Amino acid sequence: MLRWTRVVAMVVALGAVGTSTSVARGAPQIGTGLTAGGALTDLRASNGPRFAFHLGGRLDVLFLRERAGTMALGPYVDVATAAFDTFESGGGIEWLVPAGDTAFILSAGGFARTSRFGWEPGAAGTLFWGSRSFNYHSTYSLGAGLFAQGRYGLAGDGKQADVIFGAQVDLEYFALPFLFLYQAIAR
């Protein structure tokens, strides 16, 4: 009889815990951005450092975020060029940390670079600071801000070590004039 009493007590306790806990419903938030700025490249090379123009694009998906002002975690992919002499593509993981009305996004990952030395692998780390909204009605969230990035080549003759800095502007801002024009013509 004592054994059945314990079983019933455990079932009631589990039922109470199951009905009192909340379920995380963090919908994914997608963001895209154009990055532009400057780069100090070839920091390890004998002919470096040199200043170069940086241009790139970035796509990310943040998970586990239920509202504005909460942390998020997710993957990213990016493409970039330094003075149109290189092509770099990569990806990794990023962590959004809210800071009042703005947010910090820390990311780390790997990349592959092609230049006159051929394909070279590397590791990258980025610090972004700026606005990153939470969209309650869609999975797309706007973002804009400043970033600093370090890239380090792991192998190859290029001896890559770069520091990149600049601004990231959401691609939707570039599409808005065309969307407004379309809506004006369609109505």
Side-chain angles (χ1 to χ4, degrees):
M1 182 72 173
L2 186 59
R3 177 177 268 170
W4 284 106
T5 308
R6 286 184 187 171
V7 170
V8 170
M10 286 177 51
V11 169
V12 170
L14 288 174
V17 169
T19 59
S20 66
T21 58
S22 63
V23 177
R25 289 181 171 79
Q29 295 279 291
I30 300 168
T32 59
L34 175 72
T35 61
L40 288 173
T41 64
D42 304 322
L43 296 175
R44 293 190 310 167
S46 60
N47 63 343
R50 67 182 182 95
F51 184 77
F53 173 71
H54 162 82
L55 183 65
R58 188 174 181 99
L59 167 79
D60 62 23
V61 181
L62 293 172
F63 296 98
L64 309 174
R65 193 173 185 204
E66 296 181 3
R67 58 183 166 76
T70 58
M71 288 191 217
L73 190 68
Y76 77 89
V77 293
D78 66 0
V79 294
T81 184
F84 300 101
D85 291 337
T86 66
F87 175 78
E88 303 172 22
S89 62
I93 190 159
E94 64 184 17
W95 177 34
L96 180 139
V97 180
D101 292 335
T102 62
F104 288 99
I105 299 178
L106 307 148
S107 59
F111 69 93
R113 172 187 183 186
T114 184
S115 67
R116 67 179 189 265
F117 299 108
W119 284 98
E120 300 172 311
T126 306
L127 173 64
F128 169 89
W129 174 73
S131 142
R132 184 60 188 259
S133 70
F134 181 83
N135 192 338
Y136 291 94
H137 307 289
S138 173
T139 58
Y140 192 85
S141 65
L142 289 172
L146 304 173
F147 75 94
Q149 183 179 71
R151 290 181 170 249
Y152 189 83
L154 300 174
D157 296 332
K159 297 180 181 170
Q160 179 187 10
D162 302 340
V163 176
I164 303 165
F165 49 90
Q168 179 175 325
V169 179
D170 200 286
L171 289 178
E172 188 168 329
Y173 291 124
F174 297 107
L176 284 176
F178 300 104
L179 294 173
F180 289 142
L181 181 63
Y182 172 77
Q183 289 295 322
I185 292 170
R187 293 181 186 224

